Structure formats: C-alpha cells, structure tokens
Amino acid sequence: MAEKEKFFITSAIAYSSRKPHFGNTYEIIMTDAIARYQRQMGKDVFFLTGTDEHGQKIENLANESGITPQKYVDNVSGEIKQIWDLMGASYDKFIRTTDDYHVKSVQNIFKKLYEQGDIYKGYYEGWYCTPCESFFTDTQIVDGKCPDCGRPVQKTREEAYFFAMSKYADRLIEYIENNVEFIEPESRKKEMLNNFLKSGLQDLCVSRTSFKWGIPVTFDDKHVIYVWIDALSNYITALGYDPCNETQPELFNKYWPANVHIIGKDILRFHTIYWPIILMALGLELPKKVFGHPWFNFGADKMSKSKGNVVYADELAEQFGVDGVRYYALSEMPYANDGSITYENVINRYNTDLANNLGNLVSRTHAMTAKYFGGVIPTPAEETELDRDLKETVKKAIAEAKAQMDNYHIADALEAIFNMLRRANKYIDETTPWVLAKDESQKARLGTVIYNLLETIRIGAVLLLPFIPSTSQNIFDQLATDVSSYDSVSEFGALESEKPLGQSFVLFARVDEAEFFKKIEEKKKAEEAAETKAEEPEHEPTIGIDAFKNVELRTAKIIDCEKVPKAKKLLKLQVDLGYEKRQIVSGIAKFYEPEDLIGKKVIIVSNLAPATLCGVESKGMLLASGEEEVRVVFLSDDTPLGERVR
C-alpha cells in the first residue's frame, strides 16, 4: 500500500487572556474544516492547535485577579480547550506554551540563535502595546496608538536582546517573490512586502526585563524570552523539535514543514516575516503556506467587550446547535474580506439553508420513501432529461466544492453544495412524486425519482462532512448507510437499493425570531442583575506600607475556648503560636460555640497592646470578616504555627 501524503495544518495558538469570542472561534472551525477535508482526500493529517500563555498582559490580569499567572492561564486555557472541543475541533495535539518540553526547546532555540550571532544584547527604546505584545517605532504608531488594535501605547526603555532580522531580509524577499503561494490571499503578500520588508526591516526585540511571566533566558535570568519567539516556536516544538537534538524525532521529520498555518490577518507580519526568518536562522524549511483569514465583525463594527457587541460561539450553540454555529461561521466568511455576524443573519441563514433547504429536503424525501415504498430504498429505472439534469448538477457541485476547498474558498465550496440541494428541492417540484404515486403505471418512475433524491442527499452528506460532521452522520443514520467515503461520490448510484431506511428525525428545527430575542433579553437582564455592584462601603483613612508593616499577623491554633461569664458576646480563647501560648478575648459568641472553634487554625494580631474586657485580659485579636454576621478566617490544618502573615 502506498504511503499517504502528509498534511500538517495549524491554527494560531489562542492567547490565554480572556474567553475567545465568535471571531476567535471561527479560526478553529475553519482549520478543522480544512483538516477534515484533507482527511477525506486520503491524506495523513496532523492538526495542531493550543494556547499562548506568557506575557505582560497575562501577568497583569493574574495580579488583578489575585492569583498566580500559572493558575490564571490554567483556567483560561481550560476554557479555550473546552470551547474548541464543543465546536468539534478534530485536532491531533493541543500544545500549551507553559508545557515543560516547549519551555526547554524555546530556551535552547534562543541560546542557539544567540551563540551563532543572530541575537545580540542592546537597549530598546520605543513604543509598546501591551495587549498586542508588540513594539513600534515613532513612524508606525498612529496618533499615539497601536496601528494593529488602536489602543494607547507606552514609551518604553529597557535592556533587551535583539534578533538581527535585517540580516535575512533580502533572502526572505526573494523567497516570497519566488513562492507565489506562500502568503495568501494575494493582497496580504503585497502588504508584507511593501510595508515591512522593502521599506527596511528593523531588528526585533526578543526579550523583556520589565515583567517575569515568560520563559527565562538560561544565560541571563533577568530576561524572559519575548512572546513571539516563544509562541511561534510551538509549531515545531509540538513535533518534538529541539536544536540540541543530534537527530530530530520521527514526528518532526514526518510532518515538517507545515502545509499551511491558518492565522488571523492581524498576526500576519509575525508569521510571514519573523517566523520565516527564525526558521532560516535555525536552518529549517519554511512552511508551504500562511493563510491570513479575515475577521468576523458584529454587523459593521469590530467585536469589543467595551461596546457590548461580543458574541460567543458556545452561547450561540445553545440556540442553534454546534453544526448551526459551524455552518454560519464557514458560510458567512468571504475569502479575503471581513465577515459579519448579527443575530438576525444567523437566524435567517439557519432557517433558510439548514432548516428549509437541507432539513426539509431530508425530511420530505424520507417521508415519501416511507409512504410510497414502505421505507425501503427503491431501485431506479430508466432516466429522463430531468434526472440527467439533476445528476449533472450533482457532478458539477462535487467538482466545484473540491476546487474551492483546494484553494481555501470555504464559503464558496459550501455555496456549491447548497446550490445542489436547492436543485434537489426543485427536482421534487418538477417531478411531483405525489402525482406519480396516484398512477400505478408510474411506480417505476416514482422509484427513480425517490432514489435520485436519496442518492443526492447521501452525496450532500459526504460533501458536508468537513463542515457539519454531526449532521452528515445523522443523515447517514437516516439513510441507514455507511457508504460515506469521498470516493463514493465519483459515480452517482452508490446508495444500495432495496434496503430499509433508518429512523427519521428532525435535523434542524426552525428558530422563532421573536422567541429568540426574548430569551436574549431575559439573559441580558439576568446578567446585569448578577453584575450589580454592592453599595460602596465606608473606608478607613489610607495608610502607608510602613504603618501596615507595624501590624504583626501570625498563625495560631485554638487549643481551648469558653464563654466569658456575664458577657453574652465574648468568648475566651487559649491559642498556641508555636513559640508561646496566650489568651485572647473575642466578641464572636453570637456566631460560634466554643466546641466549634477548638482545634481550628486562625490568624491573630499578635502585637496588639493587652486590654481587659469584662475583667478578662486579652493579648491579641482574632482575624474575622463581617459585622452583622461575623466569619472567622480559618486556615488549613497543615499551616505551620507562628508563621508571619504578610
């Protein structure tokens, strides 16, 4: 058996700062559709995706959340992976840039590039955009803002390592001009050549010292490796590449170079300039293609949480199903121009294409087969001009869909398939099976019509497998056939006759627009109510750090507790700090019984001046929250005694 042709496809790894919106999720759906299509073509596909987890933005967000950066990215990366899985992404590997093997390989890549003279130390002074993790010169910024995202930039000066990009610029220009399919669409290639390469490529800052959440430079631990060397290297580290290996692992040798990197148009510069140059410096082949897809806007506006126009794929799936979301994403995004999403458009697409065109075709045909042939697939007889016209439409749709998919025109491929389904619906109206059924002499003709419809539906399901895979499988189940390979569409007639159909069920139930928007409004009100902030409490005067340091908080264990006679609010506690035992009086008797506290570990103010309460001396104060209802701060059992709390 001949060895399968290899096909290595990647999405960009998602940045683990926030939950991905519909526009971010489009990329994984698109990449998955291409991967599934290439598997249909009989290729040995390796589909890579993952999360980009380092950088100043994440460090800042983690600090704001009061958790470590690692915990922060664990949460967000987990949510991203969950959404990718929900959307049916058939990836072969999910890489995280905090994975140990990736960290080690990136450090070795950086060291190799430094040792061979491609990276040198200097000082960076210029403009930095934190959200984009990007540096810009005075000429690149626009009105004091980032040219990519439009947010304000900050003037920065710090010691940094630089990659000598200019050293490879001419070689890259020559490569791009000689490999016409390397950057697509064509307009993106012209942008990269004219705006960045031919105008003079500057050396790239590849390390930072102003934050710590990144991969440390092994030979200079003040520096962390800049996110783009870190993130971009995932495409080879995921395959096991490490420059320190004498021989690279089988996975890398098998699949590299990538057949295509699927990325958003906003990160095209990094993938078509910086990444190829890094690969050149490492002595590795360049990817065969970088495809920069457009964006999904909400109507005519860019999605933005601040504008309140962000749409999330998992929430859409609650109303339209996963395949409904996949279909809209893939059918509404043009090849080179930005796509648009509004709830009205989603409902219209769903009802028109999926519920009416596809769903109704399957439902009507299945019902007619059950009514006229007892649910058994009839055997076709002599064909007419109408039959030949339908078959010709099917043949053209197969060829058109393949040609469009081979060139990444995904929406056009879907349009070819749905034109075929529209033709099948028209064929029903032209052949009028309900009229044929009234004339026993037309039984053979009726069988031909029904068979042609069933076979067209089967072929449609095969062609739709990369796009809406669950729906395709549901159609095969209703047809009770496992003839689903791409090879089976080469000739019309692969569906076996005289076999019973499977059970019929609704593929897509129509969505009522008024009911949909009612649910959206109810959800919005519920979220607004949940986000209503509590009334601002009164605050004590601001203190400095020195004043705070004077408060000595230490861990202790309550070893005994009893009520203070004639004092309803007070409890007398004996606490062990490890180095001494002492007595504390606390006004928590209303909220805790003595037996509830004995054995608990707590935090006390240990340097509070002694005081006498109801005749009982107290040498400290217990840490608790609340006023109307007091809650003591308890510690885990493994907390050491006498430990300073800071």
Side-chain angles (χ1 to χ4, degrees), residues 215-376:
I215 298 177
V217 175
T218 53
F219 52 86
D220 193 343
D221 60 10
K222 291 185 302 182
H223 291 256
V224 295
I225 297 170
Y226 179 56
V227 66
W228 288 108
I229 281 189
D230 171 6
L232 288 164
S233 296
N234 92 89
Y235 301 126
I236 52 178
T237 64
L239 299 176
Y241 174 82
D242 190 312
C244 292
N245 295 339
E246 288 187 11
T247 58
Q248 297 304 328
E250 181 182 351
L251 199 65
F252 178 81
N253 292 330
K254 180 179 182 181
Y255 288 108
W256 191 258
N259 291 77
V260 62
H261 291 318
I262 303 294
I263 60 165
K265 65 180 182 178
D266 53 323
I267 54 174
L268 196 72
R269 172 163 49 107
F270 308 107
H271 283 78
T272 59
I273 297 178
Y274 303 157
W275 179 227
I277 286 177
I278 292 169
L279 291 169
M280 286 177 176
L282 291 172
L284 299 176
E285 288 184 74
L286 272 57
K288 296 177 182 178
K289 188 188 301 293
V290 179
F291 186 89
H293 65 75
W295 288 340
F296 251 112
N297 295 323
F298 187 83
D301 297 328
K302 185 177 178 181
M303 284 191 202
S304 167
K305 198 162 188 178
S306 62
K307 293 180 180 179
N309 64 358
V310 175
V311 178
Y312 295 105
D314 57 334
E315 295 177 3
L316 273 183
E318 294 174 6
Q319 302 294 327
F320 301 98
V322 169
D323 277 1
V325 174
R326 286 177 64 102
Y327 177 73
Y328 186 85
L330 297 170
S331 63
E332 278 289 326
M333 179 67 86
Y335 172 73
N337 300 317
D338 288 346
S340 174
I341 181 171
T342 64
Y343 291 126
E344 292 86 352
N345 286 348
V346 176
I347 294 169
N348 183 60
R349 268 278 187 187
Y350 178 91
N351 285 340
T352 302
D353 290 355
L354 297 180
N356 288 355
N357 194 8
L358 174 59
N360 197 38
L361 173 65
V362 174
S363 177
R364 291 171 73 191
T365 304
H366 195 290
M368 289 188 292
T369 308
K371 183 175 182 180
Y372 304 141
F373 294 95
V376 175

Side-chain angles (χ1 to χ4, degrees), residues 61-222:
L61 289 168
N63 290 336
E64 291 170 11
S65 301
I67 58 177
T68 65
Q70 185 63 59
K71 179 65 175 173
Y72 187 89
V73 296
D74 285 347
N75 293 339
V76 179
S77 178
E79 185 173 35
I80 291 169
K81 189 173 186 292
Q82 187 176 27
I83 293 172
W84 279 197
D85 291 342
L86 173 66
M87 289 296 111
S90 59
Y91 53 83
D92 295 281
K93 186 162 188 177
F94 189 100
I95 186 174
R96 298 180 58 185
T97 57
T98 52
D99 289 337
D100 291 344
Y101 69 90
H102 173 80
V103 170
K104 178 186 173 186
S105 295
V106 167
Q107 288 178 321
N108 290 339
I109 288 169
F110 193 95
K111 186 177 181 183
K112 174 182 172 66
L113 296 174
Y114 175 75
E115 289 177 345
Q116 68 188 31
D118 289 309
I119 290 178
Y120 62 90
K121 185 186 277 190
Y123 279 89
Y124 176 81
E125 184 167 1
W127 300 98
Y128 183 71
C129 175
T130 299
C132 292
E133 303 277 3
S134 301
F135 294 100
F136 299 98
T137 64
D138 288 337
T139 58
Q140 289 174 318
I141 62 170
V142 180
D143 297 327
K145 295 180 180 178
C146 171
D148 289 340
C149 73
R151 296 181 178 91
V153 291
Q154 295 81 39
K155 195 77 170 180
T156 303
R157 187 180 193 277
E158 62 181 88
E159 182 182 86
Y161 285 92
F162 290 82
F163 192 112
M165 291 276 154
S166 52
K167 177 177 171 182
Y168 295 89
D170 290 343
R171 181 176 164 189
L172 180 58
I173 291 171
E174 182 181 4
Y175 182 88
I176 293 173
E177 291 181 336
N178 290 340
N179 293 269
V180 295
E181 295 184 350
F182 176 58
I183 303 174
E184 289 189 6
E186 175 73 16
S187 58
R188 314 256 192 264
K189 178 172 72 175
K190 293 177 180 177
E191 178 188 351
M192 293 302 106
L193 284 171
N194 298 331
N195 294 2
F196 297 101
L197 283 166
K198 292 185 177 180
S199 61
L201 185 61
Q202 295 187 332
D203 290 351
L204 178 68
C205 179
V206 291
S207 79
R208 301 294 306 279
T209 59
S210 57
F211 63 90
K212 295 298 181 185
W213 183 240
I215 298 177
V217 175
T218 53
F219 52 86
D220 193 343
D221 60 10
K222 291 185 302 182

